[in-house]
């Protein structure tokens, strides 16, 4: 374990998994919660001094202490204000208050080896001393949202980890109607896992029943009716499959995915 980790990214599921894994590894062999401090920037107790003070405290009846700080981006504004204050006080007596992010940057130069400090933020300015130090020191963990192209592979791997086979086509379909938030996609896979049963494949019918009320056959029928300008049957089909709870977003995702398949098929026929 390193003494400091900077966890950046807006994909909450990945962030939570990283934080959970680090906490578990740090507290292994000790009493859970006994050597742990958590801070959330914005709360009165969350100051750079308090964070660093907790990190410098020695662990009790354990090898390591665990210190986590969430919401570092809220200190960005304070850092900017401190920089502005430094400019306005040039040539005057008195020293402006240092920024919390710079205080942490100073700490990571020589961190306490008996503490694992986990700094969490959706994003930070890349030119901050803390960020550049994390990149140079190799203790930055990126938890960015997966691209649309990478999401089906993640779905296949997650399903396989739960003991289920899922075809590339069904994984792509699920990515379209449930993505890009991995938390929601993971929840959908969990519900599908419970529905299909142990070691059973996750099928298109299962996705239609559990994730959205729209079956792919219905979507193809809907596209065909739209192409033929048959308004009455289209409205009738929409009345059957439209779900007011999601405002029709899953239906729109299913339609989008289907049209993309048609475009790919047409391109293949043309040899493009």
């Amino acid at each position: 374990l390193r003494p400091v980790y900077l966890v950046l990214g807006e994909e909450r599921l990945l962030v939570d998994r990283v934080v959970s894994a680090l906490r578990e590894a740090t507290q292994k062999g000790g009493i859970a919660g006994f050597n742990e401090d958590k801070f959330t920037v914005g709360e009165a107790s969350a100051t750079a001094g308090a964070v660093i003070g907790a990190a410098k405290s020695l662990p009790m009846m354990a090898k390591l202490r665990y210190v986590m700080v969430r919401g570092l981006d809220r200190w960005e504004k304070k850092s900017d204000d401190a920089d502005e204050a430094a400019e306005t006080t040039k040539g005057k007596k008195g020293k402006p208050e240092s920024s919390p992010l710079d205080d942490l940057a100073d700490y990571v130069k020589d961190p306490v080896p008996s503490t694992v400090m986990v700094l969490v933020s959706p994003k930070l300015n890349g030119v901050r001393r803390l960020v550049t130090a994390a990149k140079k020191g190799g203790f930055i963990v990126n938890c960015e949202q997966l691209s649309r192209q990478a999401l089906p592979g993640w779905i296949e791997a997650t399903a396989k980890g739960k003991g289920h086979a899922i075809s590339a086509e069904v994984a792509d379909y699920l990515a379209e109607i449930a993505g890009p938030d991995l938390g929601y996609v993971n929840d959908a896979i969990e519900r599908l896992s419970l529905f299909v049963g142990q070691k059973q494949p996750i099928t298109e019918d299962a996705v239609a029943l559990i994730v959205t009320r729209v079956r792919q056959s219905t979507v193809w029928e809907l596209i065909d009716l739209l192409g033929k300008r048959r308004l009455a049957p289209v409205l009738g089909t929409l009345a059957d499959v439209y779900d007011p709870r999601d405002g029709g977003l899953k239906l729109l995702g299913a339609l989008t995915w289907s049209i993309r398949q048609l475009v790919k098929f047409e391109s293949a026929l043309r040899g493009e």
Side-chain angles (χ1 to χ4, degrees):
L1 287 169
R2 293 173 178 268
V4 181
Y5 291 88
L6 178 60
V7 185
L8 298 179
E10 297 183 345
E11 185 45 73
R12 185 61 182 267
L13 178 69
L14 298 182
V15 170
D16 288 346
R17 286 182 175 179
V18 169
V19 170
S20 177
L22 289 173
R23 180 178 182 270
E24 182 179 349
T26 302
Q27 297 193 338
K28 192 173 183 178
I31 302 174
F34 198 65
N35 289 285
E36 179 178 10
D37 289 284
K38 295 181 180 179
F39 300 90
T40 300
V41 176
E43 296 179 355
S45 60
T47 64
V51 170
I52 295 171
K56 290 183 176 180
S57 299
L58 294 175
M60 296 183 64
M61 294 184 289
K63 293 181 179 181
L64 297 169
R65 284 187 62 80
Y66 176 80
V67 177
M68 184 187 70
V69 189
R70 287 189 181 273
L72 291 183
D73 53 309
R74 296 173 189 167
W75 273 337
E76 287 258 66
K77 177 61 178 174
K78 188 169 183 178
S79 297
D80 293 338
D81 290 344
D83 292 341
E84 185 177 341
E87 288 295 323
T88 57
T89 55
K90 277 183 179 179
K92 298 180 181 180
K93 291 182 179 180
K95 185 179 179 181
E97 181 184 358
S98 62
S99 84
L101 292 177
D102 285 341
D103 289 341
L104 288 178
D106 291 334
Y107 170 81
V108 303
K109 291 178 181 178
D110 185 24
V112 176
S114 60
T115 294
V116 176
M117 179 186 284
V118 182
L119 306 171
V120 183
S121 181
K123 57 184 177 180
L124 282 178
N125 192 322
V127 301
R128 293 285 178 198
R129 287 171 50 207
L130 179 61
V131 178
T132 56
K135 290 178 179 178
K136 185 177 180 180
F139 58 86
I140 190 168
V141 183
N142 289 308
C143 296
E144 299 298 336
Q145 195 173 73
L146 291 186
S147 67
R148 175 62 180 82
Q149 292 76 14
L151 187 53
W154 187 89
I155 291 173
E156 290 185 58
T158 303
K160 183 178 180 181
K162 296 181 182 295
H164 304 285
I166 183 172
S167 70
E169 186 177 12
V170 174
D172 190 60
Y173 179 48
L174 182 58
E176 187 66 49
I177 64 175
D181 182 0
L182 287 189
Y184 183 80
V185 176
N186 189 63
D187 177 69
I189 295 173
E190 186 66 36
R191 287 184 282 126
L192 286 164
S193 175
L194 294 172
F195 175 75
V196 301
Q198 198 172 28
K199 296 184 179 179
Q200 296 301 308
I202 294 175
T203 63
E204 182 184 308
D205 284 344
V207 173
L209 287 170
I210 300 303
V211 184
T212 175
R213 293 169 55 190
V214 187
R215 291 181 180 273
Q216 199 55 46
S217 58
T218 305
V219 174
W220 291 123
E221 178 186 350
L222 187 59
I223 291 174
D224 184 54
L225 291 171
L226 285 168
K228 294 176 180 178
R229 304 292 195 273
R230 296 177 61 187
L231 184 59
V234 166
L235 293 176
T237 302
L238 283 175
D240 289 336
V241 300
Y242 175 76
D243 189 347
R245 292 174 298 177
D246 62 18
L249 287 176
K250 292 175 184 175
L251 173 60
L252 179 61
L255 284 167
T256 302
W257 182 85
S258 300
I259 292 171
R260 185 179 292 116
Q261 304 314 304
L262 287 175
V263 172
K264 288 180 179 178
F265 181 68
E266 185 178 5
S267 297
L269 288 177
R270 292 178 178 178
E272 296 178 358

